[in-house]
Each structure stands twice: as C-alpha cells, then as structure tokens.
C-alpha cells in the first residue's frame, strides 16, 4: 500500500470512528480526573503524616509508599478489582479501577507534596508561629500555598503519567481509549491503524493537560 | 524609670541541643520600655536566648517569666504569649505569596479575629508609620532588604505586642539600607516599646539602649550601660571581644 493511501485510510477511519472514540475519551478522562482528584487528597494526607514526625504516622506513610512503589500498577488494579467488585461491596469496575489508580498515584503525589513542603524554609513556619498562629494555621495559610506552587510542575508530570496509566483499566474491562483501540484492532485485523488512532487521542489529551498545568503555573507565579 | 514594671525575667535558664550546652544559667531581667542590646561572638547563644523568650525554642531548665507570669511551655497557650512578644528575624521571613498589606493583616485577622476592614485600616497606618504606604499592594520580592525588614516590623507590630525581639535585624542588609531600619527601631524605642535586640550596631546601642549584655559561650559575662561596656569593660573576655569587632 502506498504511504499516501495509508494516510488517507487512517484519516477516514479516524473520522468514521469519532463517535465511538468520543465515548472512550470521555471514559478515559473521567477515570483520570476522578482518580487524580482522589489521589491529591490521599497524597496530601500521607505527606502530612510523614512530616508530622509522629513515629507511627511516619511508619504508616512509609509502608504505603513502599507497597505502591514495590508492586506493578497492573497488580494493584487487579487487586482492587477482585477485592472490591467481587466482594460483598459490589463496587463497579469503574470505581475499582479509579480507586486502584488513586491508590497508586497517591503515593507518588505524597512524595511530591512532602518534598515541596520540606523545601519551604523553616523561617516561614517560625514567622507564622511568632505572630501567634497555630501550627495548623501556619501549615494551611503559609506553608501549603507556597508548597503547592512548587509542587505544580512535578504534579503536572504525575497527572500526565496518571492519564496514560489509566489505559491499564482496559484489563478490568473498561471501554476506555486503549480498550476500544485494541478491540477494534482485533475485530478488523488492522491493529496498526487503531493503535495509532488511540495514540492520537492520548496525545491530544496530554497536550491539553500540559497547557492547563502551564497556565495554572503562570497564574500562581505572582509574588514568587 | 528605676521602678519600672518587669516585662521579662529569666532565671537560671539552661538550653541544650543534644550534647551541646548552649545556654548556661542565664539570668536576665528587662523592665518596661527598656531596650536591651545583646552582643557576643557567633555561636555564643544570642539567637537561642532570644528564641527562648518567645518559645520558638523551649528551655531545658530554669524559668521564663513574661509580664509576671511564669510560663510552663507544656501548659501555657504559647500562641497567646507569642502575640505579646513579637519577633523580627535576620532574613525577614516575609510571606512571599502575600502582598505587603496581606503580610501585615494576616495575624490580626487569623489570630486576633479582627474585622477585615479594621485590620486593613490599622495595617495601612502601620505601613505609613514605617514609611511604606506606597507599597501596600506590592509582593515582597519587589522590595529592597530594608523595605522588607520594615514590613516585617509592621507585621509584628500589627499584633500590638508588649515586647519586641530583634535578631540581627540589619545583618542581612546592604550597608546603605541599615539606617532606615535602625530609624524605625529608634522610633519604636522612643514610643516606649520594650525591646531586646541582638545587633552589632554599636551606634544604635549607644544611642538607644538602656543596657548592653555581653554573652560568651552561653553565659552572660557582663551587663551595663552602653558607655560603660564599650568604653570601660570590666571583664577580660568583653575587652577581647570588643577589640575584635571594633
Ligand atoms: N536547632 C539547633 N540545633 C542544634 N544546634 C543548634 C541549633 N540552634 C543553634 N545551635 C547551636 O547553638 C549554638 C548557639 O547558637 P546561636 O544561634 O544561639 O548563636 P548566636 O550567638 O546567635 O550566633 P550568631 O551570631 O552566629 O547568630 C551554636 O553552636 C549553634 O550551632
Ligand atoms: Mg544568631
């Protein structure tokens, strides 16, 4: 097949399948947004445990990060899937995948938050405390806003990883981008075309996400 | 002046960092409206002593009595005490994500629960007082060192403290910016603020202070009027220190 003809075929297939991929993109996005949203709170929680200096809290946080780092994401997703959807809980495939991804990303986000919080000089805490603020007020109003700003570039990076990793939800049966691509590939024996189309959608999503993170970074950069 | 109220009383204060014995049996009293200047070599414990006075560091033994009240750091509400004892740092420690005015009103609004409008009004008055009325809505990174330090002073004053602690407030400044900060501090002293100041600005000590305290290796070696300490020190170690810095 001529290269130009193939590009034409690719383009036609892309256009013809846009309805199907619209649904798959929506699911990928929903999965990513929900899991990252939860992961931010999970991450912040474990970061605060870790910097609390209270031994048992630090241990819990370290154990969590150790487990997430030391096991493959696909294993974590399957454990959540079998643990949650077949148990007495009857949680849907979507939620078990979302929670699995959140559990995974939370550990990396915890480390990002911890690094950012610890990068804010001790002088800031002392300044807050010296005008009578409680340690909670100082954390919330002085340290976290500055740490968040510093965490944004690595966080953006983690969001992109999270978006791409959501493709593993295909293995627990969610009809997201990767799943639709491979299913169409095996139905038509035209794997290459469908995988390229899937890749294009991921690229577009990552591009949009990168722009959003860059925009937020600029907005928050005042006074730095 | 002689019978002034005691604002700070420190008795047999000891402070260790691990094996390091940093403050050794410190006794110190500061009366109302007194300005006490702390001098001494690097590592002699000046900052640590100052930080024990607003409980950023907690003593190991001895007592710290603020306005007649012996403070037990385990039981006392330290946040409340810190409102009475303001502190100005060598490196300013302004909140970089807040404007000059936001820096100043943070304490009154969050800690004193003051109405926002009142806090802004008082904050602006304070900024006027330290000569920064035109910088209200500027972020700290746009200020010179001297301006930053004056904002830091205004931020402390916004809590209406009874005592102000200064830890080398001019040491991080370019020489030409030292004067403006000292002028603000002199103005405060003239208004009757009780102040404990770690500084090597001998001019300030002579002009403003009621007494100078010389510290050496965690002990107070000598205390006296600035003229006496500088021109006629009694202790050998004081003489040696003064000749090393003059
Ligand atoms: N948080 C800390 N942990 C351990 N050691 C400390 C701590 N803070 C101060 N020290 C030590 O205590 C001693 C006294 O320090 P301090 O900062 O009070 O001295 P200083 O007189 O203010 O010196 P400088 O003029 O350099 O500011 C020093 O030996 C210092 O290294
Ligand atoms: Mg010091």
């Amino acid at each position: 097949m001529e290269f130009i003809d193939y590009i034409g075929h690719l383009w036609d297939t892309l256009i013809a399948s846009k309805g199907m991929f619209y649904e798959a993109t929506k699911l990928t996005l929903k999965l990513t947004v929900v899991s990252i949203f939860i992961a931010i709170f999970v991450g912040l929680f474990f970061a605060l445990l870790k910097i609390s200096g209270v031994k048992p809290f630090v241990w819990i946080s370290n154990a969590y990060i150790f487990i997430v780092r030391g096991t493959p994401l696909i294993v974590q997703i399957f454990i959540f899937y079998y643990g949650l959807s077949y148990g007495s809980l009857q949680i849907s495939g979507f939620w078990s995948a979302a929670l699995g991804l959140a559990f995974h990303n939370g550990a990396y986000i915890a480390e990002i938050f911890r690094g950012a919080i610890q990068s804010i000089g001790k002088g800031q805490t002392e300044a807050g405390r010296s005008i009578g603020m409680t340690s909670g007020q100082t954390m919330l109003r002085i340290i976290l806003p500055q740490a968040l700003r510093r965490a944004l570039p690595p966080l953006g990076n983690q969001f992109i990883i999270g978006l791409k990793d959501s493709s593993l939800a295909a293995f627990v049966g969610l009809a997201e981008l990767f799943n639709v691509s491979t299913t169409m590939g095996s139905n038509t024996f035209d794997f290459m075309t469908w995988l390229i189309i899937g890749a294009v959608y991921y690229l577009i999503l990552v591009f949009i996400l990168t722009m959003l993170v860059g925009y937020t970074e600029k907005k928050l950069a005042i006074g730095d | 002046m002689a019978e002034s109220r005691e604002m700070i009383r420190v008795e047999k204060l000891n402070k260790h960092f691990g094996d390091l014995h940093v403050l050794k049996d410190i006794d110190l009293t500061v009366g109302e409206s007194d300005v006490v200047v702390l001098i001494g070599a690097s590592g002699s414990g000046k900052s640590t002593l100052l930080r024990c006075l607003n409980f950023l560091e907690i003593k190991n033994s001895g007592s710290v009595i603020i306005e007649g009240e012996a403070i037990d750091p385990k039981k006392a509400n330290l946040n409340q005490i810190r409102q009475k004892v303001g502190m100005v740092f060598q490196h300013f420690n302004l909140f970089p994500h807040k404007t000059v005015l936001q820096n100043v009103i943070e304490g009154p609004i969050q800690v004193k629960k003051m109405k926002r409008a009142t806090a802004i009004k008082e904050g602006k008055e304070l900024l006027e007082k330290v000569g920064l009325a035109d910088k209200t809505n500027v972020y700290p990174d746009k200020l010179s060192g001297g301006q930053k330090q004056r904002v830091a002073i205004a931020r402390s004053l916004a809590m209406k403290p009874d005592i102000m602690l200064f830890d080398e407030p001019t040491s991080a400044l370019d020489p030409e910016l030292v004067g403006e900060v000292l002028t603000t501090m002199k103005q405060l002293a003239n208004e009757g603020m009780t102040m404990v100041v770690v500084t090597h600005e001998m001019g300030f000590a002579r002009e403003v202070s009621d007494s100078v305290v010389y510290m050496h290796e965690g002990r107070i070696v000598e205390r006296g009027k600035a003229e006496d300490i500088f021109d006629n020190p009694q202790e050998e170690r004081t003489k040696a220190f003064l000749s090393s810095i003059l």
Side-chain angles (χ1 to χ4, degrees):
Chain A
M1 195 171 356
E2 291 273 332
F3 180 66
I4 300 293
D5 288 349
Y6 181 69
I7 296 294
H9 164 68
L10 192 59
W11 179 256
D12 293 342
T13 316
L14 182 74
I15 298 300
S17 64
K18 65 180 192 300
M20 181 173 28
F21 272 95
Y22 173 72
E23 290 304 320
T25 304
K26 259 190 3 197
L27 187 56
T28 288
L29 262 183
K30 200 170 141 199
L31 196 56
T32 306
V33 169
V34 168
S35 62
I36 292 285
F37 185 79
I38 299 170
I40 288 174
F41 288 96
V42 171
L44 189 58
F45 176 73
F46 282 100
L48 291 175
L49 283 194
K50 196 157 172 178
I51 59 169
S52 71
V54 181
K55 284 269 166 58
F57 291 172
V58 177
W59 291 332
I60 291 171
S61 189
N62 283 341
Y64 165 57
I65 291 165
F66 175 75
I67 290 168
V68 169
R69 273 198 182 145
T71 54
L73 172 55
I74 189 69
V75 173
Q76 294 164 19
I77 288 176
F78 270 81
I79 288 177
F80 268 79
Y81 182 67
Y82 287 107
L84 294 181
S85 57
Y86 287 147
S88 54
L89 289 161
Q90 293 294 322
I91 285 174
S92 70
F94 173 82
W95 277 101
S96 56
L99 291 176
L101 285 165
F103 172 79
H104 179 82
N105 284 303
Y108 290 94
I109 290 176
E111 285 295 74
I112 291 170
F113 277 139
R114 183 187 60 85
I117 290 170
Q118 287 178 339
S119 79
I120 306 298
K122 207 169 119 242
Q124 289 292 307
T125 305
E126 293 184 346
R129 301 309 302 274
S130 78
I131 53 173
M133 295 174 90
T134 63
S135 57
Q137 282 176 320
T138 308
M139 181 53 79
L140 210 63
R141 301 197 44 92
I142 307 302
I143 307 301
L144 279 183
Q146 296 181 62
L148 214 62
R149 194 181 295 178
R150 266 185 217 183
L152 207 58
L155 270 184
N157 208 29
Q158 190 60 41
F159 295 169
I160 288 169
I161 294 172
L163 168 63
K164 292 188 290 183
D165 281 353
S166 72
S167 58
L168 290 173
F171 294 99
V172 293
L174 291 196
E176 48 66 70
L177 277 173
F178 180 63
N179 198 348
V180 169
S181 304
T182 47
T183 306
M184 290 310 293
S186 57
N187 287 350
T188 59
F189 301 106
D190 188 7
F191 261 106
M192 202 56 173
T193 303
W194 290 103
L195 284 173
I196 290 174
I197 290 172
V200 167
Y201 279 96
Y202 278 112
L203 276 174
I204 293 169
L205 289 180
V206 169
F207 178 74
I208 293 170
L209 190 55
T210 309
M211 300 289 281
L212 276 177
V213 170
Y215 174 77
T216 317
E217 256 173 72
K218 267 212 206 87
K219 277 221 99 159
L220 289 180
I222 34 161
D224 226 4
Chain B
M1 202 66 166
E3 280 304 303
S4 76
R5 188 157 74 105
E6 237 174 41
M7 299 298 278
I8 302 172
R9 181 177 196 90
V10 170
E11 283 171 354
K12 290 249 171 299
L13 178 78
N14 282 277
K15 172 71 191 171
H16 302 257
F17 288 115
D19 289 339
L20 197 64
H21 195 174
V22 180
L23 295 177
K24 300 165 186 162
D25 290 333
I26 299 281
D27 290 315
L28 180 73
T29 53
V30 181
E32 190 165 21
S33 298
D34 276 0
V35 176
V36 175
V37 164
L38 287 181
I39 60 170
S42 178
S44 57
K46 307 177 297 290
S47 297
T48 307
L49 174 54
L50 217 56
R51 294 157 59 83
C52 283
L53 299 179
N54 76 344
F55 306 92
L56 284 181
E57 300 290 356
I58 305 297
K59 64 183 176 155
N60 293 103
S61 66
S63 45
V64 177
I65 300 158
I66 303 289
E67 295 177 43
E69 189 188 343
I71 310 295
D72 177 353
K74 288 198 194 71
K75 295 194 193 119
N77 182 348
L78 295 182
N79 300 322
Q80 218 152 34
I81 293 152
R82 291 197 186 104
Q83 295 177 44
K84 290 197 255 179
V85 188
M87 181 147 192
V88 172
F89 303 87
Q90 179 174 0
H91 296 289
F92 331 124
N93 299 352
L94 292 180
F95 307 134
H97 59 304
K98 294 184 181 293
T99 64
V100 164
L101 183 64
Q102 286 168 345
N103 264 274
V104 175
I105 63 178
E106 179 72 9
I109 291 177
Q110 298 300 325
V111 180
K112 291 207 145 151
K113 309 293 175 201
M114 191 184 276
K115 281 212 190 75
R116 196 176 171 79
T118 318
I120 290 176
K121 183 171 159 286
E122 292 186 4
K124 284 183 172 166
E125 283 166 10
L126 276 170
L127 287 171
E128 187 133 358
K129 178 172 165 175
V130 299
L132 291 170
D134 54 331
K135 301 290 183 193
T136 317
N137 295 317
V138 163
Y139 283 91
D141 68 332
K142 297 282 185 296
L143 300 178
S144 74
Q147 292 171 332
K148 281 183 194 168
Q149 197 58 297
R150 285 183 283 148
V151 174
I153 293 172
R155 178 177 66 182
S156 277
L157 290 177
M159 297 306 291
K160 303 195 176 85
D162 300 331
I163 300 165
M164 285 281 281
L165 310 174
F166 293 82
D167 193 357
E168 305 204 39
T170 59
S171 297
L173 301 179
D174 292 336
E176 72 271 20
L177 301 177
V178 169
E180 61 191 60
V181 172
L182 291 182
T183 304
T184 303
M185 291 168 62
K186 280 176 203 166
Q187 189 187 340
L188 260 184
N190 290 336
E191 289 166 7
M193 177 63 76
T194 306
M195 294 162 63
V196 183
V197 185
V198 176
T199 184
H200 291 144
E201 292 294 333
M202 299 306 165
F204 175 84
R206 279 181 193 274
E207 206 181 317
V208 183
S209 77
D210 297 281
S211 64
V212 172
V213 170
Y214 170 63
M215 285 183 71
H216 179 74
E217 292 178 0
R219 289 182 197 282
I220 292 181
V221 173
E222 194 168 353
R223 176 176 185 172
K225 294 208 165 300
E227 311 84 270
D228 296 336
I229 295 282
F230 294 148
D231 303 332
N232 189 20
Q234 299 300 304
E235 300 284 333
E236 283 309 317
R237 284 172 299 191
T238 318
K239 284 179 199 164
F241 172 73
L242 289 168
S243 64
S244 76
I245 62 161
L246 291 177

